Amino acid sequence: MSEERLRQYVEQQELVLNVTRRIAGNVGLDEMIPHILHSADRALRADGVRLLLTEPGVRWRAFATGERAGVMAQADARLLAYVTGHGEAELSRVAGDGPLLDELGVSSELACLIALPLVAHQTQHGILWLGFQQPHAFGSADRVFLSILAGQVAIAIANARSFEAARKRREWLSAILASTPDPVLVVDREMCLQLVNPAALELVAALSEESIGQPLDQVVGAEDLVQLLHDFGNGDAHNLEYAAENGYTYSPSISDVRTESGEMAGWVLVLRNITHFKRLNDNMSEFLSTVSHDMRSPLTFMKGYLDMLGMVGELNEKQDGFVDKIAIGVVQMSDMVEKILDAGKIDPVAGTYELSREPSDIVQMFNDVMSRLAEPAAKQGLELTGTISGAVPILNVDQALLTSAFTNLVENAVKYTPEGGHIEVTLNVQDNNLVLRVTDDGYGISAENQKKLFQRNVRVHRKEWKRVKGSGLGLFIVKNVAQRHGGDAWVKSKEGEGSTFTIVIPLAGENMVVAETAAETPE
Ligand code: ADP
């Protein structure tokens, strides 16, 4: 290697090192590219160097250095297209590439050129090309130098672009969060606060920008939020409300935050102000309860007079039929009134009702419900079977409410199972719990609907039971009665196969009859 060549080689190595340092130093593209062009120019003694940066929405952005760079510009478009299609190009008039160079619009002042695509992460970001007035023999060291340089530049461009995209996304995200009236908080897996929007800062006085990065449970005054997150973690997220110091009520919704690879990163807590809806709802419940209560007595005497109609004189067949229809209507209305009153009593938010516990014969209760529903089931062509296995103790429960819960489940199975179906009701004691199960082979319930069935006033409509009447209160009563007795209720169902509803009540604590009043276990 000649001394001149060796010097050039060492110089090239230093330039590559320099470029690498700048890239690692995260210098902006506008500052870095001119330096790179200059390096390429110096290292290869070119007469002009151009770097074309393709950008979405723009044809390209050109950076240039060297005396002949201006003349070279006229070939930019065609050379960019050529290199994009063919890859790296080394063209020289001496080697017979004159016609192609002319076709590409390269000035006759240039004897040769070398052009390289700038590719990183399988994306081409532009080209780098160098022009020479004199024929130039590119050595392998030149080529290696240029391809390293092009590779480094491409990586720098790709990094700068993804950094810019991330910055824009961040800016968007914070603009969205700032304009969201709902308080939003994000915590990581260690429950350290990672993000908080202005609405949340305003709501929780204890939070400030300084709280970012701190464990939420060490922020004095944020205990309620910590409790909310814990309740969510324990699966108690349903019907949760957050009564804030500002007098408003919020409905929290908490979702997992996952990375692109699906790894758990933390939680996002959004608080929706539901004060207005809650007030409306409370007013509606109160109004319904008052009206329902006042309807009880007229319904009772309507029923009484209906019963007496037949006693005061013979009714003809038509009149008998009408009386039956009125009686059905009165029973439906009475059922509805009782459900509204029961739901109002045990509503976990608005209800103030204390359970009226008394020693209750659960077996008797079960048999009463089953015999009451035997006729409606038979009328619908359903097979209704009830089984009690093992001994079931007398329990200290609210008999009226528990009967209502049992009835609702069996009644639903009757209402929502098509003709010819089977309903199996079982009662037994399992793991020190009283367990009532109602299984039908009806239409079943989708997973989506199963989640909301137990909420107040939720009905699921299907064309098959368009004419079935209901209030959407039955399962709300079932769940809350079970919970007020320390138990729970749930459903397992598969569409097209049927459903199993279960009520579980623990045989412990207040549910147990105290020793002196304990009755014998019925057979
Ligand atoms: P209602 O029966 O008055 O509509 P419920 O709270 O008792 O109110 O039930 C809520 C919804 O759950 C019903 O509208 C119905 O769509 C669905 N559902 C209840 N029980 C069953 C069942 N056994 N099979 C299929 N769907 C059911």
Side-chain angles (χ1 to χ4, degrees), residues 48-59:
V49 184
R50 295 184 66 81
L51 188 146
L52 311 180
L53 201 58
T54 45
E55 287 188 358
V58 182
R59 283 215 304 168

Side-chain angles (χ1 to χ4, degrees), residues 11 13 21 23-24 71 83 98 126 140 170 191 225 248 261 267 270 300 369 389 392 404-405 417 440 468 475:
E11 199 181 331
Q13 296 307 308
R21 271 203 210 108
I23 291 172
V71 180
V83 174
S140 63
R170 256 201 321 276
M191 290 282 263
L225 298 176
Y248 290 129
S261 57
W267 296 271
V270 181
T300 313
V369 172
S389 19
V392 177
S404 160
T417 305
D440 65 57
V468 176
L475 293 178

Side-chain angles (χ1 to χ4, degrees), residues 430-482:
Q430 260 175 22
D431 303 330
N432 216 32
N433 286 310
L434 178 78
V435 182
L436 176 94
R437 273 203 186 93
V438 182
T439 302
D440 65 57
D441 56 2
Y443 300 106
I445 306 156
S446 69
E448 185 62 28
N449 285 330
Q450 286 178 41
K451 285 189 217 148
K452 51 188 190 194
L453 281 189
F454 291 90
Q455 291 169 18
R456 196 179 181 138
N457 299 324
V458 168
R459 297 205 73 209
V460 177
H461 300 281
R462 281 183 79 119
K463 62 176 183 331
E464 293 88 346
W465 58 64
K466 235 172 32 201
R467 305 176 66 131
V468 176
K469 303 271 180 304
S471 55
L473 290 172
L475 293 178
F476 174 78
I477 294 172
V478 169
K479 180 123 191 152
N480 284 292
V481 168

Side-chain angles (χ1 to χ4, degrees), residues 119-137:
V119 178
H121 311 312
Q122 277 109 41
T123 305
Q124 187 179 328
H125 297 278
I127 63 167
L128 172 73
W129 74 282
L130 292 79
F132 300 83
Q133 285 182 294
Q134 299 303 320
H136 191 97

